[in-house]
Amino acid sequence: MATTTIANISGQNYIGNKLSVTGKITYKTYNPELQEENSIPFYEASDNEINEAVSLASKAFDSYKTFSGKKKAEFLNKIADEILNLGDALVTTYCSETGLPEGRAVGERTRTIFQLRSFAELVSSGSWVEASIDTGNPDRTPMPKPDLRRMNIPLGPIVVFGASNFPLAYSTAGGDTAAALAAGCPVIVKSHPMHAGTGELVASAIIKAAKETGMPDGVFSNLNSSGIEVGQKLAEHAQIKAIGFTGSIKGGRALFDIASRRKTPIPVFAEMGSINPVIVLPDALKTRGEELAKTYANSITLGTGQFCTNPGLILGIESDALDNFINHLSDEIVKINPTCMLHPQIKKAYHLNKEKILSEKQVSIKTTYKQDIANENYASQTLATVSGEDFIQNANLHEEVFGPFSLIVKCKDKGELEKAISSLDGQLTGTILGNNLEISEYNYLLSLLNNKVGRIIFNGVPTGVEVCPSMVHGGPYPSSTDSRFSAVGTSSIKRWVRPFSYQNWPNELLPDELKNENSLGILRLVNNKLTDQPI
Amino acid sequence: MATTTIANISGQNYIGNKLSVTGKITYKTYNPELQEENSIPFYEASDNEINEAVSLASKAFDSYKTFSGKKKAEFLNKIADEILNLGDALVTTYCSETGLPEGRAVGERTRTIFQLRSFAELVSSGSWVEASIDTGNPDRTPMPKPDLRRMNIPLGPIVVFGASNFPLAYSTAGGDTAAALAAGCPVIVKSHPMHAGTGELVASAIIKAAKETGMPDGVFSNLNSSGIEVGQKLAEHAQIKAIGFTGSIKGGRALFDIASRRKTPIPVFAEMGSINPVIVLPDALKTRGEELAKTYANSITLGTGQFCTNPGLILGIESDALDNFINHLSDEIVKINPTCMLHPQIKKAYHLNKEKILSEKQVSIKTTYKQDIANENYASQTLATVSGEDFIQNANLHEEVFGPFSLIVKCKDKGELEKAISSLDGQLTGTILGNNLEISEYNYLLSLLNNKVGRIIFNGVPTGVEVCPSMVHGGPYPSSTDSRFSAVGTSSIKRWVRPFSYQNWPNELLPDELKNENSLGILRLVNNKLTDQPI
């Protein structure tokens, strides 16, 4: 693997279609497997470059917002093609900047391609605009009824902040970007500094696709930055209309605060932290404790625990079966070889946050991987236990430890388990491990859990987020800043649009989606009936 | 009209089903027609009452969120019945607290009833939950595909702030309350102090309906308050999950700021100010100037200009036809007899805000109703003019004057008209008065206007907001705090729900909306195809 020199990467920003360097600050990415810096310096975007990117995006919006679904689909599909055309260079660069294995890079690329093509299909078929038509009635009394026609239209230029843990699927051309471009919004990506090379390669694929499919210059820009200033300036810019972010609660909240304090506040969709509670019910523990322990040892350590759906909290009711489960889980988890984290900073944060929890006097370490690990970027997986009462009273124990760590809460009875669930912050997911017969005894607990999460899983693991219309990835704060939207799946396009209504508008001047003839053949609510027929 | 004593009004708060007074602060409503206070003292909700209302709402949510659409529809329809059962007392009280005529009271009651019944129908038929099902595939490689099922679920207890200018349709049992109750959210109304008696009567109808249809105590509360403290405490309360507001930019922004600064921020849907630009194109002025002048004289003065869609800004290109239009509009508008404003405070604000604009040296008064008006709560309608250049440069001229006032902007050419549109803040509506042939010359102007508004009207007036699925009442900030939602029409239910996903959940434990058998017969997206069939 060529890791210290990365082919075809300039270290520059894409300001619309142009590579650009006007700033002086540089930084490098890091190879955590080799424990050394990669060679290419990346140039942080300057204030001029930021303003130029936003100005181009605003101009691009004038035409891009009017493009047909088919034309946007062509662009999205071409991005997918061009990402594939990057070939091995993308995989090699990805691995050199993340410490993640090649299989993960390839898998994440497949997911990214799938997302782009899913959105292409969505906007090509067109019904996603939720067109609604109420025809007028000039004879109604006491007032004539106007003709009203509604559809979703794009918000305007969007800023996307890439995720450290998903350099492809939730970064440069990831879910947020694909959804925003599909909606008709130009996108400016604030590249994640830990994988700036991967970001630039993907950006080059987007720019190539934009040129090949006749998109306006500025429909996409990619800005480098190692600190917070570039992101802050973008979030404050009057012409930016919304923000997508995947990352820490601290980072997401900072952006939310900036966006909320603006003269004209803008929506921020930040997908942030979650400890993803897993509730193990007594019968399941008795009959399947060993099997569940194996499954969970794998889920906790998957991707070195660096998933937002990592199960960081396991709750059960005290019993021999629970103790057996914990013992088996401990045995299984230390059988797994530790793996590399994304970056020394992330490893450091893992260690610090874990130690913070372990230093609480009520918490006991159950097991931790103790063998010497030659590479200090490798994370040793750890399990700890605490009583239900102590967990409920100590909010510090409710904080996410990003990495292969899980805290097991031993509640004395069902009532305490319910209180523990009630005490939780908002979560992306909640999981119930139970047998079909026993679950009906836990209706109230399920009702409490339901208030806290965006997705509820039965006898499975929270890791592994399927990309499909029925997925919800998001949930009550702080798992996301707006639980009314999902960050994964085609429904995530709704974050970047607003409804817009035409009253008594001449048919020939309406967008195709709302014309009488319905030449696009989309589903529309016409006088409260869903139909794909013309009027 | 009995105005100084209002029948069946206690002045107390409804804390769930109970009338309650524990506070000491009282205030009275005011009859602006008679220029005197009404007799009944209203008791502001105390901190204890606020906390009790929220606590009851939280408990009520546990069961209310699980109620079927049919059961919620029964409640909503019964509220409508009970509001009608209030009979003349409601109309009399409404008029005595607003200065609005009886016809308006009856019309607004009709609208309120229609809204309640529309939401009843929506949740009774059930497809509004946007159910989506992706069936699993255990044989998929490399990973089995999980079964995922998504639907909209309610956010939790909501606070609704009533509007001064819609004591029925956007207050106690108005659009926000109806939508939230339909969604499955308990509602706490912060009663508008100017029509507290009307509010209490409507609240009594809601409580009666709640008892008659077996709703949990706390599904609805009504809190009195003359100041900002009660609203502030409600907005800060950890168990409140969202806010609906109709009113001024200052009030809406204050709530938005409180909600955004919370440890756990919550969504605020505030429908605030708008000057509703009306663009008059040259050909229309030539052929229909007189007719348009008459229409607009009525629209500007309708309801004493106290509508959020009141046309406060008229823009055209300098020409003799524009001058003629302005002259006709001036002649017509002073033919209309002034009418009463809602409250002396609102009249005072109208006067102050109008004088603020008129005092700008570039602004000329075109006409103002000058006859002596015996009642100082009556508003004299006023028209003023300003050049396009001056309008563009002076942001003070872009502010709303709530009342029968309109500023006419005379642009020197199309380019200046485009710049004037670009300089505007977000608006609820934009209107084009033009002939079909000329409008194609204004594509760029339409594109600019489209970026600024939520609804665009052709050859009509912005006043008169139809309640139907295709209506959008909302728009870019500051016309609303979140342009992604409408405040009017059944789609407004989306403000109070979030998507929720079940993964591999046993069929018998799923809500009816997501069960295989689809016993509700609702439309669902099943493996990406919309169908009302079982699986």
Side-chain angles (χ1 to χ4, degrees), chain B residues 45-68:
Chain B
S46 67
D47 285 3
N48 280 345
E49 285 168 329
I50 294 170
N51 290 332
E52 205 189 329
V54 177
S55 164
L56 278 174
S58 280
K59 275 187 213 121
F61 183 58
D62 285 343
S63 56
Y64 190 60
K65 70 177 180 180
T66 69
F67 284 7
S68 70

Side-chain angles (χ1 to χ4, degrees), chain A residues 72-193:
Chain A
K72 287 185 290 183
E74 208 190 324
F75 177 33
L76 293 166
N77 279 322
K78 185 62 84 178
I79 296 173
D81 296 343
E82 292 298 346
I83 288 173
L84 284 173
N85 283 343
L86 293 168
D88 289 346
L90 180 63
V91 174
T92 314
T93 305
Y94 175 109
C95 295
S96 74
E97 294 185 325
T98 62
L100 293 169
E102 201 178 301
R104 163 71 190 270
V106 172
E108 203 184 316
R109 184 175 61 183
T110 303
R111 185 192 184 95
T112 308
I113 299 300
F114 178 75
Q115 289 177 160
L116 286 160
R117 299 213 193 280
S118 297
F119 280 109
E121 202 183 312
L122 184 78
V123 296
S124 183
S125 59
S127 297
W128 75 276
V129 299
E130 301 179 299
S132 172
I133 296 176
D134 290 284
T135 53
N137 176 6
D139 301 327
R140 190 184 65 174
T141 54
M143 294 275 287
K145 187 178 171 211
D147 180 287
L148 278 156
R149 303 185 182 216
R150 194 198 72 210
M151 63 179 279
N152 291 329
I153 65 167
L155 289 178
I158 305 292
V159 172
V160 170
F161 289 77
S164 67
N165 60 341
F166 274 99
L168 294 175
Y170 290 93
S171 290
T172 323
D176 290 351
T177 298
L181 290 177
C185 300
V187 170
I188 298 172
V189 167
K190 206 293 281 173
S191 169
H192 199 287

